[in-house]
Amino acid sequence: MKLLLKYYIGFVFLLMLGGCSNDFLEVKQLKSLQVPHTIADFQAILDYNFAPGNTAHTFGANGSDEFIITEKRWNQLATESNAYLRDVYVWSQKINMLQYEQNMDWSRSYLYIFYANHALYGIESIQPTPDEQIAWNNVKGSALFFRAFHYYNLAQQFSFPYERSDNPNGLPLRLEPDVTVKVKRSSVHETYKQILDDALKSAELLPAETKRTNYIRPGKAAAYALIAKTYLLMEEYEKAAQYAERCLSLRGQLIDFNTLGADDPANFYEYAFAADYGASNPEMIYYSVSDNGYTTALNSVFKDRAEFHPSLLALYEPGDIRYKVYFRPYIDVDGYRFLVFKGSYAAYSYFSGLAADEIYLLNAECNARTNKIDKALDDLNLLLKNRIDRSWFSPVTEKDPEKLLKIILLERRKEMVFRGTRWQDLRRLNKEPRFAQILVREIGGNRYELPPNDPRYTWPIPQSEIDAGGLTQNPR
């Protein structure tokens, strides 16, 4: 991996500049002291490089059905460095792989995995004293979580969806810091097994409580949430619900949107949530944001560039406060009114981490699928009570499992706007004929379609990685 190798060569210099504790940053006279060697050093490596981490969502975000770009913007892309997004946007069979290399989803994720591997390798060389055990556990648990979290997000773009029968098109699993070692692709089952193994081990090591002002460090609740999300994709619904409940027992508080003043004209144009790394957000479990590539079009959802997908906006019914919390009217200099997204839990960036609202919906879905109707209704109604205007709220009472499941999935789409989850939801739900759908783009007088379970739901691996590592490319 050429880019990763470049980072590896300069790793010591990076650490000396900003990756470790103050003591470690001091100029050392002995070469043996110029590398991280204490628990604090390895914690500092994680804090610096995952503060917060960017997640791999560029392709899935631009390929899903949450927003559409205008024809004008489509034409502009042809002359820009990210012109490959034209191919991504229409799920092209042939993508401009030279420009495709500009995207950081793959390389940056593996760089994060390298940092996690480096911390894991280093911390194992330290025998902690009883007084150091908690700090040692936090380093190892955090590194395992970070590795699992980034492999999870990579798998949603570059690995085929999980199915009962295995598929060879999983991820190359790097589990040590030596990036010169060539690693072949693992199968899909092996990929998800590694994600689970890391997340389960991290849950044993991480603290049950994390500081309310620091969600860039994961805690036990974050590990439980990631485990639940992984089991959901594996269709292990009983296990997913089990870990969702463990997560919510630690981090189950919800924001009452009735208290956000969404009807106050003074708040129409204000971002709904503070840019404080989730410190003031009681729903926050783990804070991360999407890579900049995610927002190439989305960050400019306004006139002549992009707009929200009409099918998404049509979902919000009267009394649903989310519409006013998530979207704001914007008036440009010509007086043209259009919508802008203001509902990210990361304010100006796009939140892609873990929060309680998602886990409530996950738990409700899994309980509906396993015929635990009362539990599903409890979680669903608890969320909706905090999202619907009090004068409009009426609890869902649907007892039919199939109908209830449809309601929950609909609420998931309305709740999880621009969280980076829509693409993975499309991939997993397409396996069920009752939920499968054809995505359609109409632009420049042409119609483009993405049928359910199409190989194009998995994006190509960058060609440089194919060439350098001898990897097999994803079929399209």
Side-chain angles (χ1 to χ4, degrees):
M1 296 184 175
K2 293 180 180 178
L3 181 59
L4 198 57
L5 183 57
K6 178 183 73 174
Y7 283 112
Y8 180 74
I9 293 171
F11 183 61
V12 172
F13 298 100
L14 175 63
L15 295 180
M16 294 296 288
L17 287 173
C20 293
S21 62
N22 291 334
D23 289 342
F24 181 66
L25 289 173
E26 293 175 359
V27 176
K28 309 290 187 179
Q29 297 300 317
L30 297 176
K31 184 177 180 180
S32 62
L33 297 181
Q34 291 180 348
V35 294
H37 64 286
T38 69
I39 296 173
D41 289 342
F42 290 111
Q43 181 65 66
I45 289 172
L46 296 178
D47 285 346
Y48 179 79
N49 291 294
F50 295 91
N54 293 117
T55 55
H57 287 109
T58 299
F59 303 126
N62 284 279
S64 63
D65 58 352
E66 291 184 305
F67 72 93
I68 53 178
I69 65 174
T70 64
E71 185 171 345
K72 179 178 179 178
R73 179 61 183 141
W74 166 263
N75 292 329
Q76 288 174 340
L77 279 171
T79 62
E80 298 179 7
S81 61
N82 51 19
Y84 68 90
L85 286 177
R86 283 166 56 94
D87 298 331
V88 168
Y89 183 73
V90 297
W91 320 290
S92 177
Q93 293 282 359
K94 295 182 179 180
I95 292 178
N96 185 326
M97 295 303 286
L98 183 62
Q99 290 188 336
Y100 190 80
E101 294 285 334
Q102 303 299 315
N103 185 269
M104 298 291 287
D105 277 10
W106 178 280
S107 58
R108 183 172 289 170
S109 295
Y110 273 101
L111 180 59
Y112 287 136
I113 290 164
F114 163 75
Y115 290 132
N117 285 337
H118 187 81
L120 287 168
Y121 182 83
I123 203 69
E124 288 294 348
S125 67
I126 299 174
Q127 182 63 44
T129 66
D131 290 341
E132 296 173 326
Q133 190 65 58
I134 293 176
W136 189 95
N137 287 352
N138 194 70
V139 171
K140 184 173 182 180
S142 296
L144 287 166
F145 171 84
F146 289 138
R147 188 167 71 181
F149 185 66
H150 286 284
Y151 273 135
Y152 175 93
N153 287 312
L154 278 168
Q156 308 321 307
Q157 301 213 103
F158 302 106
S159 171
F160 270 49
Y162 188 96
E163 296 189 78
R164 294 297 179 184
S165 57
D166 204 358
N167 185 294
N169 296 303
L171 297 174
L173 297 174
R174 290 194 166 274
L175 307 178
E176 58 183 53
D178 186 354
V179 298
T180 65
V181 176
K182 288 190 176 183
V183 178
K184 298 297 183 182
R185 296 187 71 167
S186 300
S187 71
V188 172
H189 282 199
E190 290 168 337
T191 296
Y192 278 80
K193 181 180 184 301
Q194 185 62 53
I195 294 168
L196 272 179
D197 285 349
D198 282 351
L200 288 164
K201 290 175 184 175
S202 74
E204 296 174 359
L205 295 165
L206 289 170
E209 291 295 329
T210 52
K211 292 182 180 179
R212 296 296 298 178
T213 56
N214 187 0
Y215 288 107
I216 60 174
R217 283 190 181 183
K220 201 177 291 291
Y224 289 153
L226 181 56
I227 295 166
K229 284 165 64 78
T230 305
Y231 276 131
L232 176 68
L233 296 185
M234 297 171 67
E235 301 177 35
E236 297 279 358
Y237 301 121
E238 293 275 5
K239 292 180 179 178
Q242 175 187 349
Y243 282 95
E245 289 170 6
R246 291 185 185 183
C247 171
L248 294 172
S249 71
L250 298 173
R251 283 280 189 274
Q253 189 174 351
L254 289 169
I255 302 168
D256 185 352
F257 279 23
N258 284 279
T259 66
L260 296 181
D263 287 325
D264 186 343
N267 294 329
F268 285 177
Y269 298 96
E270 297 298 323
Y271 283 85
F273 305 101
D276 59 1
Y277 300 96
S280 61
N281 188 332
E283 295 185 12
M284 189 61 58
I285 295 173
Y286 171 68
Y287 184 94
S288 67
V289 295
S290 62
D291 200 332
N292 289 337
Y294 183 112
T295 62
T296 298
L298 178 57
N299 197 42
S300 300
V301 175
F302 55 74
K303 184 183 177 185
D304 292 334
R305 292 182 67 87
E307 60 187 54
F308 303 108
H309 201 291
S311 66
L312 172 63
L313 297 177
L315 297 178
Y316 297 94
E317 298 177 345
D320 193 330
I321 308 173
R322 286 173 294 194
Y323 185 84
K324 295 178 180 178
V325 169
Y326 288 169
F327 308 104
R328 66 181 171 97
Y330 180 87
I331 303 175
D332 71 5
V333 293
D334 299 322
Y336 181 86
R337 183 180 293 272
F338 47 92
L339 293 174
V340 174
F341 183 63
K342 65 167 186 173
S344 171
Y345 280 4
Y348 313 109
S349 300
Y350 286 85
F351 177 69
S352 59
L354 304 168
D357 58 341
E358 177 183 5
I359 306 306
Y360 274 111
L361 286 167
L362 184 155
N363 202 33
E365 176 183 342
C366 292
N367 282 321
R369 287 181 179 276
T370 55
N371 210 32
K372 298 181 177 66
I373 303 304
D374 289 340
K375 280 189 172 184
L377 287 171
D378 286 346
D379 282 338
L380 177 61
N381 283 318
L382 178 60
L383 178 70
L384 292 180
K385 184 179 180 181
N386 287 279
R387 297 298 188 261
I388 307 300
D389 187 290
R390 293 189 184 98
S391 62
W392 286 83
F393 175 70
S394 178
V396 178
T397 58
E398 181 60 64
K399 293 288 187 176
D400 181 275
E402 290 298 309
K403 293 179 180 179
L404 178 57
L405 180 57
K406 290 180 180 179
I407 294 171
I408 293 167
L409 292 175
L410 184 64
E411 292 302 327
R412 179 178 174 88
R413 190 176 179 203
K414 289 189 281 185
E415 180 73 19
M416 303 296 295
V417 179
F418 302 136
R419 296 274 191 94
T421 58
R422 181 58 180 163
W423 185 252
Q424 67 191 47
D425 281 347
L426 287 166
R427 281 166 41 112
R428 71 184 179 91
L429 294 174
N430 275 338
K431 294 183 290 182
E432 303 179 64
R434 54 186 172 165
F435 298 127
Q437 60 180 288
I438 299 173
L439 298 189
V440 176
R441 308 280 204 210
E442 293 184 354
I443 195 164
N446 295 312
R447 179 184 175 89
Y448 305 89
E449 294 188 357
L450 182 65
N453 306 310
D454 192 283
R456 289 174 293 167
Y457 265 103
T458 302
W459 301 100
I461 295 172
Q463 190 60 43
S464 61
E465 303 298 336
I466 300 295
D467 297 338
L471 303 178
T472 56
Q473 183 59 278
N474 288 322
R476 287 184 74 72

